Amino acid sequence: MKPIGWLLLGGLLALAALAQNTRGVRVRGTFEVLILDEQSRRVALLSGQGAQGVGNRVPLNVARLDYFGERGLTNLSVIGTNCVYDAGEQTVTSPDPLKIVTADERLQIEGRGFTWWRTNNHLVISNDVTTRLLRPPVGTNAPVPLFIRAGRLELFYHANEVAYSRSVRVEDPAAQLNCAEFTVYGALTGGVQRLVARGSVELVNHADGGRATCSEAIYHHTAEGEVIELTGDPRWSDGGRSGSADRITLYQTARRILALGQARLTLPRTGGDATGLMGLGFAPLAKSANETTNRLIEVLAGMLEIDLPPTNGPARRIVATTNVVIRDPAVPGGATAGRAEYQAPGRLDLTDNPVWSSAGTQVRAELLSFNALRQMASALTNAVVRLPVARLRERFFGDTNAAPATFTNEVIEIRSDFATYQDTTLRFGEQVRAVFLSGDDQLGELTCRSLGVTYSNRVQALRATGAVVAEQFPLRRADGTEIRRRVRGETFAVTFTPQETIESVLAEGDVTALQEERTGGTNVIRKELLAQQAAAWFGPTNHLRSARASGNVVFVAGHRSVTGETAVYSDDDGLARLTGNPVALLPEGRVSGAEEFIWDSRSNRYRVKGAFRSQWTQIPGLTNLPKLLIGN
């Protein structure tokens, strides 16, 4: 064998003996140790300069560790100074600075004080760790550098992991992250796969001051771009908005937030997203006892999805699903649904059994829609609206002889194909049915084709059109009698006082008003009024102040009836006056041609004003004649 061959063989034997803990080997100058895997493939090469040592410990002025990929090319290099290789422990240590860099320079690490273990290719940097890491590019944009600072680093080459600990701070041009531990997966070979932060994680957005906290945050790159998943009591805040959930996913590239499990979103009530969420409804929202300008709107759901604008500003879209609640915590009421979708600049749609409520008002339908730009709320398909009407029973359905009030929870429940609220007016369309309820008891109803209710925290006015029928169901008086009333017409209008009592009633178009009084058994007293128009005005204690009927007026009481063109009643004198060719039809005969028929409700006497003509089928008894007619 030639001398050069003997030299090479001797050098390799010396290195092998050193690697196998053979003592007493003297090393000078260049130093190399080749690291092979179980299949004898080359994994890494440890080399050094300025080697001075005998035995297991070899001091190296400069040490270099190069890891190789499957094709034999270098993919990671570790360079340190003032190092010591311990053949017995199979480690390299140094208190001095260290530098780690991948072949593509996407990962560059520096630190001070390190230990490397040959047995498992594990490396630890003990102090002042700084890292520059290029994340995968997003679209056509250039890769964004990520800077990591920490007190400690552990590198696991075979696991392709780099783990940071001790006051970790991660920064890029857009944000900063602070945590106890931070792990980079995949950066040593093949590019970043994911980043994981653990322990008191805080993420701050430089642009808008947005902040997120959690126990664990995972960053990875998907088809939608950069994604960060937050778990462990995750919470976030951004420009007055804040939220929490079991899991929050931030789609950085798509500018989207997904919150899953007990999701909660809060927004300032004034301006921004809240204008469309709760800025209007089917009535003015209730106010809290201590009204403030910094009140919040709260959205609760099983899932929340928020699409953010490219820059700071209100959300472009918010979707909430599963047990959705939208409310102002300071006051009762709000909205519930299976699904809620908000679209900027101010449209909110609630579906899947939606319900809206405020100050006693409740609205249900297959779709509840709120449009902030038009200041309009709509309940579409099978709309049901419940309005509180305090004291309306005794004001509208009762009278001075009625039994004491025993009803509570008095509401008007209105059902229709659709309902809208705009400019303090509720409008109902197609097949409208309004029922007056006191608890579970139905006291009366109104049916029509369309209905308008002026409502602002209380019912102010009501107008029904199209085949209107208003009915009071039997009401039992204190003396045991029952009264049932019904009014028919083409239009029906009611106004209410601020005290929610009836102020006036106006019915028009072939009006029919019927009252049936049952005094016991089969004895029924029936009274009926027919006219083209009928109106009544009421006093504050429910007494009738005045009334007027016009246009082919007919009044029937039992077997007696009177007709004329106009009937007027005033409570001032208790007189009802019928004019316009009045005619009275009685069992005893007929009276006509008078100027005016007058009925005195207080004395129950009748008078005829002006010349009249009478036709009797029988002469009334003298005892009944004065009460029946007094002519002048």
Side-chain angles (χ1 to χ4, degrees):
M1 180 177 290
K2 295 182 179 180
I4 188 170
W6 286 108
L7 290 174
L8 289 172
L9 178 61
L12 290 173
L13 289 174
L15 290 172
L18 181 60
Q20 296 172 5
N21 304 331
T22 303
R23 298 180 181 276
V25 177
R26 183 181 298 275
V27 180
R28 294 286 187 273
T30 301
F31 171 81
E32 291 185 348
V33 174
L34 184 63
I35 302 168
L36 306 176
D37 62 13
E38 295 178 352
Q39 287 76 37
S40 298
R41 290 175 301 191
R42 190 173 69 159
V43 175
L45 175 65
L46 172 65
S47 61
Q49 298 293 328
Q52 298 289 333
V54 177
N56 289 347
R57 294 179 62 81
V58 180
L60 302 170
N61 291 339
V62 178
R64 182 184 180 97
L65 177 64
D66 292 304
Y67 283 97
F68 306 110
E70 294 181 355
R71 292 188 295 178
L73 301 177
T74 301
N75 57 21
L76 180 71
S77 297
V78 182
I79 303 171
T81 59
N82 192 23
C83 304
V84 174
Y85 175 73
D86 190 317
E89 299 292 333
Q90 299 190 62
T91 62
V92 176
T93 60
S94 173
D96 284 5
L98 173 76
K99 183 173 182 179
I100 303 172
V101 61
T102 56
D104 57 10
E105 295 187 346
R106 288 182 174 272
L107 175 66
Q108 300 178 38
I109 301 173
E110 294 183 0
R112 181 172 55 83
F114 74 92
T115 300
W116 172 77
W117 287 265
R118 174 187 170 183
T119 53
N120 56 7
N121 289 291
H122 180 202
L123 184 146
V124 173
I125 301 177
S126 307
N127 302 282
D128 304 332
V129 180
T130 61
T131 300
R132 182 180 183 273
L133 172 66
L134 286 181
R135 300 200 303 268
V138 178
T140 58
N141 298 327
V144 177
L146 193 70
F147 297 93
I148 307 170
R149 293 174 175 80
R152 176 182 170 87
L153 174 146
E154 293 186 70
L155 186 151
F156 305 90
Y157 180 77
H158 289 308
N160 202 0
E161 297 177 14
V162 180
Y164 301 82
S165 58
R166 297 212 309 253
S167 302
V168 182
R169 186 175 71 182
V170 183
E171 290 186 89
D172 69 9
Q176 175 179 316
L177 182 143
N178 303 311
C179 60
E181 301 175 357
F182 187 78
T183 304
V184 179
Y185 296 87
L188 301 178
T189 59
V192 176
Q193 297 171 355
R194 68 183 189 278
L195 308 173
V196 179
R198 297 184 179 91
S200 301
V201 180
E202 179 186 47
L203 180 63
V204 179
N205 188 303
H206 293 320
D208 56 17
R211 180 175 177 269
T213 61
C214 61
S215 297
E216 181 178 85
I218 300 176
Y219 164 95
H220 53 97
H221 198 272
T222 69
E224 295 187 75
E226 297 179 309
V227 177
I228 301 176
E229 295 180 357
L230 311 179
T231 56
D233 191 26
R235 300 172 182 272
W236 67 273
S237 60
D238 169 25
R241 298 174 292 228
S242 65
S244 62
D246 294 338
R247 176 186 294 271
I248 297 177
T249 303
L250 308 176
Y251 295 85
Q252 298 288 88
T253 307
R255 297 285 294 166
R256 183 160 56 95
I257 299 174
L258 180 64
L260 296 174
Q262 304 183 76
R264 178 176 180 267
L265 170 67
T266 58
L267 309 162
R269 179 163 177 170
T270 55
D273 314 314
T275 299
L277 285 173
M278 288 288 284
L280 67 151
F282 290 88
L285 293 173
K287 295 184 179 181
S288 66
N290 299 314
E291 188 73 41
T292 60
T293 58
N294 58 350
R295 283 168 53 192
L296 301 174
I297 294 302
E298 184 176 66
V299 182
L300 307 176
M303 185 202 79
L304 275 171
E305 186 175 358
I306 305 171
D307 290 341
L308 300 174
T311 57
N312 299 342
R316 295 179 298 170
R317 178 173 175 264
I318 300 174
V319 176
T321 57
T322 310
N323 301 323
V324 180
V325 177
I326 305 174
R327 66 187 183 187
D328 179 344
V331 296
T336 62
R339 187 178 192 276
E341 180 174 352
Y342 166 79
Q343 291 277 4
R347 181 189 175 102
L348 173 66
D349 290 337
L350 305 179
T351 54
D352 191 5
N353 194 31
V355 178
W356 181 95
S357 62
S358 175
T361 302
Q362 186 186 86
V363 182
R364 305 193 307 270
E366 293 186 22
L367 168 64
L368 297 183
S369 183
F370 305 86
N371 191 314
L373 294 182
R374 297 179 60 190
Q375 289 292 297
M376 180 177 179
S378 303
L380 304 177
T381 309
N382 300 323
V384 180
V385 178
R386 292 170 67 94
L387 305 173
V389 280
R391 300 190 308 279
L392 188 60
R393 183 192 65 82
E394 64 265 30
R395 299 307 188 195
F396 186 47
F397 294 104
D399 55 42
T400 56
N401 295 319
T406 57
F407 300 104
T408 57
N409 302 323
E410 297 174 356
V411 299
I412 293 178
E413 182 178 273
I414 306 171
R415 295 175 179 266
S416 62
D417 292 342
F418 67 87
T420 63
Y421 181 74
Q422 189 175 33
D423 299 329
T424 72
T425 299
L426 273 165
R427 293 179 174 85
F428 302 85
E430 303 303 325
Q431 307 303 319
V432 181
R433 181 173 184 262
V435 179
F436 178 76
L437 298 170
S438 192
D440 294 329
D441 297 319
Q442 294 189 10
L443 302 184
E445 73 172 13
L446 180 146
T447 59
C448 58
R449 284 196 292 270
S450 64
L451 174 67
V453 179
T454 303
Y455 187 81
S456 179
N457 292 327
R458 65 174 183 85
V459 177
Q460 296 173 324
L462 178 152
R463 180 176 176 82
T465 59
V468 182
V469 179
E471 184 170 3
Q472 173 198 313
F473 298 147
L475 177 69
R476 184 176 294 276
R477 290 177 171 179
D479 59 7
T481 61
E482 285 186 353
I483 294 180
R484 182 186 188 99
R485 299 186 177 104
R486 182 173 62 243
V487 178
R488 296 176 182 270
E490 280 302 305
T491 65
F492 191 78
V494 182
T495 61
F496 298 86
T497 69
Q499 292 73 37
E500 298 188 48
T501 63
I502 298 289
E503 183 177 52
S504 67
V505 177
L506 173 63
E508 296 180 295
D510 295 325
V511 178
T512 301
L514 173 66
Q515 175 176 297
E516 293 180 338
E517 182 177 341
R518 189 178 299 274
T519 59
T522 59
N523 186 21
V524 178
I525 300 174
R526 180 185 176 95
K527 298 178 181 179
E528 188 172 14
L529 172 68
L530 289 76
Q532 289 302 307
Q533 182 186 82
W537 294 266
F538 297 86
T541 58
N542 192 45
H543 71 276
L544 179 64
R545 291 193 298 108
S546 61
R548 179 184 177 87
S550 60
N552 300 321
V553 178
V554 178
F555 178 72
V556 181
H559 298 292
R560 304 173 186 274
S561 66
V562 292
T563 64
E565 280 301 311
T566 304
V568 177
Y569 170 79
S570 174
D571 188 58
D572 293 339
D573 54 15
L575 299 180
R577 302 173 182 271
L578 182 65
T579 58
N581 191 27
V583 176
L585 299 177
L586 313 171
E588 298 84 358
R590 170 189 174 97
V591 179
S592 62
E595 179 184 334
E596 186 176 52
F597 282 176
I598 303 172
W599 172 59
D600 190 332
S601 62
R602 294 169 184 170
S603 64
N604 200 25
R605 288 179 176 270
Y606 300 85
R607 290 187 295 147
V608 178
K609 183 179 180 181
F612 63 89
R613 179 182 179 186
S614 61
Q615 296 173 291
W616 304 106
T617 58
Q618 62 182 12
I619 300 299
L622 294 178
T623 56
N624 294 328
L625 184 59
K627 184 176 180 179
L628 187 67
L629 278 178
I630 300 178
N632 63 342

